[in-house]
Amino acid sequence: GAGVSQSPSNKVTEKGKDVELRCDPISGHTALYWYRQSLGQGLEFLIYFQGNSAPDKSGLPSDRFSAERTGGSVSTLTIQRTQQEDSAVYLCASSADRGRNEKLFFGSGTQLSVL
Amino acid sequence: GNSVTQMEGPVTLSEEAFLTINCTYTATGYPSLFWYVQYPGEGLQLLLKATKADDKGSNKGFEATYRKETTSFHLEKGSVQVSDSAVYFCALSASGGYQKVTFGTGTKLQVIP
């Protein structure tokens, strides 16, 4: 596609429910990242994928959070038993390779609200 | 670990004023440095970057110089416009291994006519 696509753009859920957030990276981009942006906070790193593997999961806040990537393309971030503190904008980004000078292309994010 | 510290916002300027947004970093080795911008209702996009000491990144009238001696990468623009109103994020990509990008907290800029 032309850019990184995330869905849904907005998600309202009840505390304790599970949610799935989807990211479609730019075609051919091997690296994929998930970040979380909370009000008044910076971008908090969650997880990084190179291809289908995730060499760095160090940012996942708890075992309620998991992510997978299939076919070296689409990624899904799953949050189980959502809590109010999970409310944030979840951003996905992709880049062409693992080089540290490579710029990230961001999606518009999913605004998650946990009531 | 690596970290990025940005000046607190919001910053409010009149059109044509000079802009400086301070950014300092902590990292091992020789990171690459970036400024990303998030315009209202849009996703983050790269504004400029510098990959080694004394490099100057520039784009759309914005500039930032990689200062290793002061571990800084301050963003500057000589004359801001209303259309520059956005949130600006300083970021670094650590040397060695894969490109994990660490972001600052962001600085909101509002330019008034």
Side-chain angles (χ1 to χ4, degrees), chain A residues 33 35 56 99-102, chain B residues 30 32 36 49 98-99 101:
Chain A
Y33 306 77
Y35 287 87
D56 192 343
R100 69 185 183 91
N101 300 327
E102 194 70 25
Chain B
Y30 302 92
S32 292
Y36 281 81
K49 69 178 183 182
Y98 78 94
Q99 183 197 306
V101 183

Side-chain angles (χ1 to χ4, degrees), chain B residues 18-113:
Chain B
F18 184 86
L19 168 71
T20 299
I21 300 178
N22 290 337
C23 171
T24 58
Y25 67 90
T26 301
T28 55
Y30 302 92
S32 292
L33 302 175
F34 306 84
W35 278 99
Y36 281 81
V37 59
Q38 187 174 33
Y39 297 104
E42 298 184 17
L44 275 85
Q45 56 187 275
L46 180 69
L47 179 61
L48 54 83
K49 69 178 183 182
T51 59
K52 61 183 187 296
D54 299 325
D55 266 4
K56 178 183 286 187
S58 61
N59 186 26
K60 299 182 180 181
F62 290 88
E63 293 183 339
T65 301
Y66 189 143
R67 301 289 188 198
K68 188 165 178 60
E69 63 276 14
T70 55
T71 62
S72 65
F73 193 54
H74 304 321
L75 182 68
E76 296 182 336
K77 186 173 185 182
S79 176
V80 293
Q81 305 300 312
V82 172
S83 57
D84 295 326
S85 298
V87 181
Y88 293 82
F89 292 88
C90 186
L92 69 83
S93 176
S95 59
Y98 78 94
Q99 183 197 306
K100 177 178 178 177
V101 183
T102 301
F103 287 83
T105 54
T107 302
K108 184 175 182 179
L109 169 67
Q110 183 177 11
V111 180
I112 54 178

Side-chain angles (χ1 to χ4, degrees), chain A residues 22-98:
Chain A
R22 177 186 169 104
C23 173
D24 277 284
I26 292 172
S27 178
H29 279 192
T30 57
L32 185 147
Y33 306 77
W34 284 98
Y35 287 87
R36 179 167 71 174
Q37 185 177 19
S38 303
L39 193 63
Q41 304 293 318
L43 272 69
E44 177 188 5
F45 169 81
L46 298 178
I47 189 169
Y48 157 75
F49 287 93
Q50 181 62 36
N52 290 336
S53 64
D56 192 343
K57 305 178 183 180
S58 62
L60 294 177
S62 73
D63 58 8
R64 296 187 295 106
F65 287 72
S66 63
E68 64 175 13
R69 189 180 185 193
T70 55
S73 180
V74 173
S75 176
T76 302
L77 177 68
T78 300
I79 308 174
Q80 295 178 311
R81 305 180 302 282
T82 51
Q83 303 295 311
Q84 289 183 333
E85 60 262 29
D86 299 334
S87 296
V89 176
Y90 289 82
L91 295 171
C92 176
S94 69
S95 69
D97 64 28
R98 70 179 69 190

